[in-house]
């Protein structure tokens, strides 16, 4: 999975990353789904251990172009994981109160507590993506945000938060197919707005903005992964595997009982 | 499932409710698990519809004696339901800031938004349960809370919240077995504290406090159900069935698309 990592300090080009890639995975969709299912079992165990130990905080950031598969990935990867220990924070258009604070204020409120996994469905990165592409703030404002984000994430990491960031990378053709599928299915029409097509016209601007994000904010304490996401099963496999390996590397242990339980009789 | 409802205005006695009961269900555990699995599929569809329509708010309150099965019920009933639309709020010992406000202040913050399902794992009812049993506040304080709770829940209901409250009813013997099982399994020791045994000694006081809760706060807009919970499969079946039927009765519809989508071509 190392090949999907954006190595801190190195410059990547999105155009050189193939959204159709399946890395060095031996097998197709069927084998992929089996592997995801095994990883899911491990994830369920690791989440329980994380919660029991109550020492680490885990933050998973998901970003993608429209139809990139954030919702689907959350459902598949976290299927069956105890909902008490996993929270999803979705960041919509900021409210008046949120806009009256710095852009990280509403983000900080949603960061994980000890023992928790929090998934950001969109995140503070929108403040250097949609905000930049549409010019909602001046360049001298958004251009300072990369370093502010790095500083913010360093604070979280130094205070016990394990951060993983995934960019779900789809091709422009794949987006077309997915939008068309929504259009062809009347039960999906409520999800569709003409604004989605306006955003699609800005594809190039968004790719450039993402490239800057990936190059400026991938750090050892909060790495970015570019997840080839044209194939949904491979997307879910990559996220599952990186998440499970990261949790395994925390070397967590079940805590000692609070009290001496020897010789206890329940009446 | 009607037989498990606490009819508003009628007085129930907990000692007359059998925690071992399986109502008029025809079949045993195997048939029960199949039924739960079917209900779970429906629940997944209904949750998506709830989210899409974005009109109703759903609040599920779970209360039980220790080991009563709140955590297990949440995992089984909501297995596979989109984690983005379902939040679990767990209420622990109140913080200083929470205690400096009225007892419903921290509760109100966690109530569901439109399109959301929120599950309360413990709730404002602890303020007339543990608080009453241990005398943390005077009787003249806690005794007024039943009407305050009814008024609060009426406000939520009149503002679009569908409220379902489940008391998971286990027997004292069943609790003994479950505590013993935890004691016999070293990987569960971290969950165990001697305080659990002190609480068990107050079993009678808690049952009396629960009886008052059930008799004073079951209303048409926020009914209580006494869920026989010695058998885990029947517990999960009752909750699933009542939840699915309640959601079906909302007669929800997928919303119309925001824009006229006829003749749209994706470029």
């Amino acid at each position: 999975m190392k090949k999907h990592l954006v190595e801190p300090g190195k410059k990547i080009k999105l155009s050189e990353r193939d959204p159709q890639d399946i890395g060095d995975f031996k097998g197709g969709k069927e084998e992929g789904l089996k592997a995801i299912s095994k990883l899911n079992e491990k994830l369920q165990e690791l989440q329980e251990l994380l919660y029991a130990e109550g020492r680490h905080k885990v933050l998973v950031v998901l970003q993608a172009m429209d139809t990139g598969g954030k919702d689907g990935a959350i459902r598949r990867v976290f299927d069956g994981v105890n909902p008490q220990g996993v929270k999803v924070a979705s960041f919509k258009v900021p409210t008046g109160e949120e806009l009256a604070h710095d852009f990280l204020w509403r983000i900080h409120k949603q960061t994980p507590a000890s023992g928790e996994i929090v998934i950001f469905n969109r995140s503070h990165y929108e403040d250097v993506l949609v905000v930049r592409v549409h010019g909602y703030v001046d360049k001298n404002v958004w251009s300072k945000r990369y370093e502010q984000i790095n500083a913010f994430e360093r604070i979280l990491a130094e205070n016990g938060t394990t951060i993983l960031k995934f960019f779900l990378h789809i091709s422009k053709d794949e987006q077309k197919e997915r939008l068309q599928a929504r259009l062809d299915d009347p039960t999906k029409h409520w999800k569709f707005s003409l604004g989605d097509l306006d955003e699609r016209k800005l594809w190039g601007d968004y790719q450039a903005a993402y490239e800057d994000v990936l190059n400026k904010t991938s750090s050892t304490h909060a790495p970015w992964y570019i997840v080839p996401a044209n194939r949904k099963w491979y997307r879910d496999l990559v996220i599952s595997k990186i998440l499970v390996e990261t949790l395994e590397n925390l070397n967590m242990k079940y805590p000692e009982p609070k009290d001496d339980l020897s010789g206890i009789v329940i009446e």
Side-chain angles (χ1 to χ4, degrees), chain A:
Chain A
M1 294 293 147
K2 277 262 161 89
K3 79 174 279 204
H4 303 309
L5 173 70
V6 179
E7 279 187 55
K10 289 213 178 150
K11 294 288 163 221
I12 61 94
K13 282 196 172 170
L14 265 182
S15 58
E16 292 169 1
R17 300 289 180 127
D18 182 4
Q20 202 77 22
D21 188 18
I22 59 164
D24 42 21
F25 185 71
K26 310 270 175 273
K29 181 173 176 178
E30 200 183 325
E31 291 78 16
L33 293 178
K34 269 185 208 158
I36 292 167
S37 171
K38 272 189 196 165
L39 287 164
N40 179 268
E41 276 173 43
K42 277 193 194 167
L43 181 59
Q44 295 196 32
E45 287 166 24
L46 286 161
Q47 183 278 327
E48 199 187 326
L49 185 53
L50 180 89
Y51 181 82
E53 196 190 41
R55 208 159 66 88
H56 296 279
K57 311 161 173 84
V58 177
L59 175 60
V60 176
V61 174
L62 294 183
Q63 284 287 156
M65 298 292 288
D66 197 20
T67 76
K70 299 190 307 302
D71 294 11
I74 293 171
R75 280 197 79 159
R76 299 301 126 52
V77 173
F78 292 93
D79 186 32
V81 182
N82 193 341
Q84 295 200 76
V86 180
K87 291 183 184 168
V88 182
S90 299
F91 296 96
K92 308 268 165 72
V93 176
T95 65
E97 191 188 17
E98 287 169 353
L99 282 173
H101 292 82
D102 71 83
F103 75 105
L104 293 165
W105 181 78
R106 65 174 186 158
I107 306 294
H108 209 157
K109 286 206 235 183
Q110 305 270 19
T111 52
S114 301
E116 271 185 2
I117 299 176
V118 172
I119 305 152
F120 279 3
N121 182 346
R122 302 186 187 277
S123 66
H124 42 307
Y125 286 98
E126 291 297 332
D127 292 286
V128 284
L129 290 163
V130 62
V131 166
R132 161 177 162 172
V133 168
H134 286 278
Y136 294 149
V137 301
D138 288 345
K139 182 173 180 181
N140 71 337
V141 173
W142 62 252
S143 62
K144 293 196 185 96
R145 288 184 173 169
Y146 302 100
E147 276 315 306
Q148 292 166 8
I149 288 173
N150 286 335
F152 173 69
E153 292 179 351
R154 195 173 306 115
I155 292 168
L156 298 182
E158 288 178 359
N159 287 279
T161 309
T162 299
I163 306 173
L164 292 172
K165 303 182 293 197
F166 298 102
F167 170 58
L168 312 185
H169 183 38
I170 57 167
S171 63
K172 196 173 176 189
D173 282 348
E174 180 68 21
Q175 188 190 56
K176 182 178 179 177
E177 275 184 36
R178 293 185 186 183
L179 286 172
Q180 191 64 52
R182 282 189 190 172
L183 210 51
D184 295 344
D185 178 356
T187 73
K188 298 280 160 70
H189 279 184
W190 63 276
K191 285 189 185 177
F192 205 102
S193 86
L194 293 180
D196 299 344
L197 299 181
D198 294 335
E199 290 297 279
R200 177 169 165 79
K201 288 181 191 139
L202 299 167
W203 181 275
D205 294 347
Y206 273 106
Q207 295 287 303
Y210 266 113
E211 215 165 72
D212 270 358
V213 160
L214 296 164
N215 284 324
K216 289 172 190 280
T217 64
S218 195
S219 55
T220 39
H221 58 268
W224 271 109
Y225 293 87
I226 299 172
V227 182
N230 274 11
R231 291 184 171 88
K232 292 171 184 174
W233 66 266
Y234 189 67
R235 170 197 77 199
D236 299 338
L237 180 65
V238 171
I239 299 172
S240 299
K241 196 155 175 61
I242 291 167
L243 185 56
V244 164
E245 284 178 359
T246 303
L247 291 175
E248 280 174 342
N249 286 337
L250 295 178
N251 293 314
M252 299 180 285
K253 290 195 189 92
Y254 278 98
E256 295 294 310
K258 286 154 252 169
D259 304 301
D260 177 10
L261 299 179
S262 53
I264 294 287
V265 177
I266 301 164
E267 282 159 24

